[in-house]
Amino acid sequence: TLPQAMKQQLLDAYADGLGIAAPSLQSQAFPLAITFSPEGVIEQSLDTRLQVARTVFVETLDVREQVIKRITNALDAGHCVAWVRNTIADVLDAYDQCAPLFGAENILIFHARFAMGDRLEIESELEERFGTKSTHEQRKGRLLLASQVAEQSLDVDFDVLISDLAPIDRLIQRAGRMHRHVRDTQGNPKSSGADERGTATLIVYAPTWSDDPPANWFKASFVRSQKVYANHAQLWLTQRELRSGSYQMPEDGRRLIEAVYGEDATLPKGLQATALAAEGDAMGQNAVAHDNALKLPEGYAVGVVADWWRDTITPTRLGEATTTVRLAIWRDGKLLPLCRYGRADKHDWALSQVRVYEKYLKEEHLPAATQAAAETLKASLPDGGRWSVLLVLTDNETQGWQGSAKDAQGTIQSWRYDRKFGLRLLKETQREKS
C-alpha cells in the first residue's frame, strides 16, 4: 500500500547508497513486489488470494446511534462484529455504551495497552474464536472492540466490520478482516465454494460529508483521534473516494492509494492548513533522522555525533514519545512481574511490559514501602532499569490492580490494570510539588 512517490524515494535512497542511478518505477500493479540490485529493477505483480479478490461495498454513517443500531441488528442475527476505533480511549468509551446493551460477557477488547503476556493470550483467543476454524457457536453474538492493533497480522474473520474513518491504506487493511474465509450463511467454515454470507460491506463511521469542509471538519466529530491521523485532508480524500459506494480489489487498490497519497491529489481549501502542518512535522522528523543517522566511518563512537547507547538521545522511533512501562505487583513484601502465570521465567518481565505515551506516563511514583525493593529489582534487570518506568500495582479488593505514576507535567496519575481492559488511566490526583 505504499504510494508511488514513496516507493521511488526508497529506491532512490538505496541506489544513492550504491552509488548508482535509480531507475524510474513504472508498474501500477497492485499487489506489487519490487526487487532492486545493481543489475536492475524487477517489478513483479502478485496474485491476490481468491477470498479477498472481491467487491467491497462501503456504507458511511455519521451518527453514533446509527453505528450502535447496525451492531445491534448484526448481533441479534447471530453474526459476529468488529468495531475498529482510532484510539484506546474510544475503544473503552464504546465499551461503556455497548456493555449494557449486549452484555459484558459478549464483548472482547483488544488494544496496545495490554501487557505483552496478556496481549499474546488475547491474540490466541481471537484467532480461536474468529479464525479459520471458528464455528457459528463460537462466533455468534460476539463483538470485538479494538484499536489499530487488529488491522494486520491477526488471521481473523468477521461477518460485519465497522471502522472509524482512517486513511485509505488502513481501511483496506481493516476490510481484510471481513469475510476473510469461506463460510456458510451461519458463519461455519466451508472447505470450498463461495462465501454464503452475502456482500462484504465495510461500514465507516465518519464526519458528515462536506464538499467544502471547514478546518475543524474531522476534529469536531473525532476529538480524541484528531492527532492520530494528523493530516485531515487525507482523511477527507479517503472519504471522497469511498463515496462511490464500493471498490474492487485488487483492481482499485493502486487508484485508491494514489488518490489519497499521490502528489497530484487536490486538497480542499479548509483542510490545507492541517495538511501543511502534518507535512511540516514529517519534514522536521526527517531532519532529526538525518542528524542522528549513523556515520559509517565513525561507527558507534560515543560523543562524536550522539550517544548511541541512549535511546533518549538517538531514538529508534520518531513521533510522539512513548515510555516502556514494566508492570509489577506488590505481594508479601516482594515485587513480582505481573505476567508470571504461576511460574518463574526469565521472560516474565518482558511479558509484563507495555508502551504508553510519555505525556500520560513518564516517571515513577513508588509507594514508600516498595522503594527499597524497587531499587534491588531494577539492579537485577538486564538494563538496570534504565530504559523503563516501574509501575507498582497493589491489589484493591474491589477495583483490581492499581498504581500511580507521573505524567510529562509531573502530575501524579492513577492507573488500573486488569485482563479485561488492560492498563487504564483513571484520573488526575494531584500536582507534584517541587
Side-chain angles (χ1 to χ4, degrees):
T1 54
L2 289 177
Q4 194 79 353
M6 184 177 292
K7 289 190 294 183
Q8 188 67 55
Q9 290 170 4
L10 292 171
L11 187 65
D12 291 346
Y14 189 76
D16 183 62
L18 290 174
I20 63 176
S24 297
L25 296 175
Q26 302 297 326
S27 178
Q28 295 294 311
F30 184 91
L32 178 70
I34 301 172
T35 306
F36 178 59
S37 71
E39 285 71 41
V41 65
I42 300 174
E43 299 180 75
Q44 178 65 52
S45 62
L46 304 175
D47 292 333
T48 298
R49 192 163 58 90
L50 291 178
Q51 286 87 339
V52 293
R54 60 188 179 178
T55 297
V56 177
F57 292 89
V58 180
E59 180 181 352
T60 301
L61 302 177
D62 58 8
V63 178
R64 186 183 175 103
E65 286 67 28
Q66 294 175 335
V67 175
I68 299 301
K69 182 177 180 180
R70 291 301 301 270
I71 295 174
T72 302
N73 293 341
L75 296 180
D76 287 347
H79 299 311
C80 61
V81 181
W83 184 3
V84 183
R85 312 227 58 194
N86 289 336
T87 71
I88 295 173
D90 284 326
V91 170
L92 299 177
D93 182 53
Y95 176 85
D96 289 340
Q97 184 174 6
C98 292
L101 300 175
F102 312 126
E105 70 280 4
N106 295 315
I107 303 175
L108 293 89
I109 296 174
F110 187 42
H111 54 68
R113 212 184 284 163
F114 283 94
M116 182 55 66
D118 289 332
R119 180 167 171 172
L120 292 173
E121 286 203 342
I122 293 171
E123 288 181 356
S124 296
E125 180 182 0
L126 292 178
E127 292 190 346
E128 179 179 359
R129 186 172 294 280
F130 305 112
T132 308
K133 298 179 180 180
S134 60
T135 64
H136 173 67
E137 288 301 316
Q138 292 173 298
R139 301 160 59 84
K140 67 177 181 179
R142 299 287 179 171
L143 169 64
L144 172 67
L145 299 172
S147 66
Q148 298 96 321
V149 295
E151 71 188 23
Q152 51 189 324
S153 299
L154 286 177
D155 186 12
V156 289
D157 170 21
F158 294 93
D159 303 322
V160 176
L161 193 136
I162 302 165
S163 173
D164 291 355
L165 180 63
I168 189 64
D169 53 326
R170 299 301 186 97
L171 291 182
I172 291 174
Q173 291 282 1
R174 295 176 190 186
R177 272 65 204 164
M178 168 184 59
H179 292 206
R180 185 176 179 86
H181 307 128
V182 178
R183 299 182 182 275
D184 64 19
T185 54
Q186 289 193 312
N188 291 303
K190 294 175 55 180
S191 59
S192 62
D195 192 281
E196 299 176 6
R197 288 175 289 178
T199 58
T201 301
L202 172 64
I203 301 171
V204 179
Y205 177 40
T208 302
W209 174 255
S210 172
D211 291 324
D212 186 21
N216 68 342
W217 168 77
F218 185 75
K219 177 181 177 180
S221 300
F222 293 86
V223 176
R224 296 189 182 102
S225 57
Q226 60 174 309
K227 293 183 179 179
V228 177
Y229 304 115
N231 191 331
H232 300 167
Q234 291 177 346
L235 297 174
W236 183 87
L237 290 169
T238 295
Q239 188 171 353
R240 184 190 67 180
E241 293 305 307
L242 297 179
R243 282 172 57 77
S244 64
S246 67
Y247 61 88
Q248 186 76 28
M249 292 298 290
E251 292 84 353
D252 290 335
R254 178 61 50 209
R255 176 186 63 78
L256 292 171
I257 295 297
E258 296 302 326
V260 174
Y261 293 107
E263 295 178 328
D264 297 330
T266 301
L267 308 182
K269 183 178 180 180
L271 299 178
Q272 288 178 3
T274 62
L276 289 173
E279 185 178 346
D281 288 342
M283 293 175 66
Q285 292 183 9
N286 188 48
V288 172
H290 278 289
D291 288 342
N292 288 345
L294 176 66
K295 310 303 187 289
L296 293 180
E298 297 164 357
Y300 290 94
V302 175
V304 175
V305 178
D307 291 333
W308 281 95
W309 58 276
R310 295 183 63 188
D311 192 64
T312 55
I313 301 299
T314 51
T316 54
R317 294 183 180 183
L318 297 179
E320 189 166 359
T322 59
T323 302
T324 297
V325 181
R326 286 186 169 120
L327 302 174
I329 59 175
W330 179 246
R331 179 180 290 166
D332 299 328
K334 296 180 180 179
L335 287 174
L336 304 173
L338 176 75
C339 294
R340 294 193 71 200
Y341 298 112
R343 70 189 192 287
D345 190 289
K346 63 182 180 180
H347 301 301
D348 284 342
W349 283 111
L351 292 173
S352 300
Q353 290 183 177
V354 62
R355 293 189 73 86
V356 180
Y357 284 126
E358 190 176 277
K359 63 184 178 183
Y360 299 130
L361 197 161
K362 185 178 182 180
E363 298 180 33
E364 293 169 351
H365 181 256
L366 302 173
T370 70
Q371 289 181 358
E375 293 304 316
T376 301
L377 167 63
K378 288 189 285 187
S380 70
L381 296 172
D383 63 355
R386 291 188 298 271
W387 313 125
S388 63
V389 169
L390 193 65
L391 179 60
V392 175
L393 303 170
T394 56
D395 190 9
N396 181 308
E397 292 184 1
T398 59
Q399 301 296 330
W401 294 107
Q402 291 191 196
S404 61
K406 300 176 188 175
D407 64 16
Q409 303 300 318
T411 303
I412 299 174
Q413 304 280 11
S414 296
W415 293 84
R416 180 183 299 163
Y417 187 89
D418 61 58
R419 291 188 169 98
K420 172 74 173 180
F421 300 102
L423 186 63
R424 289 180 288 170
L425 177 63
L426 294 183
K427 61 181 180 179
E428 179 175 293
T429 54
Q430 62 179 351
R431 174 68 62 183
E432 180 74 356
K433 296 181 180 180
S434 58

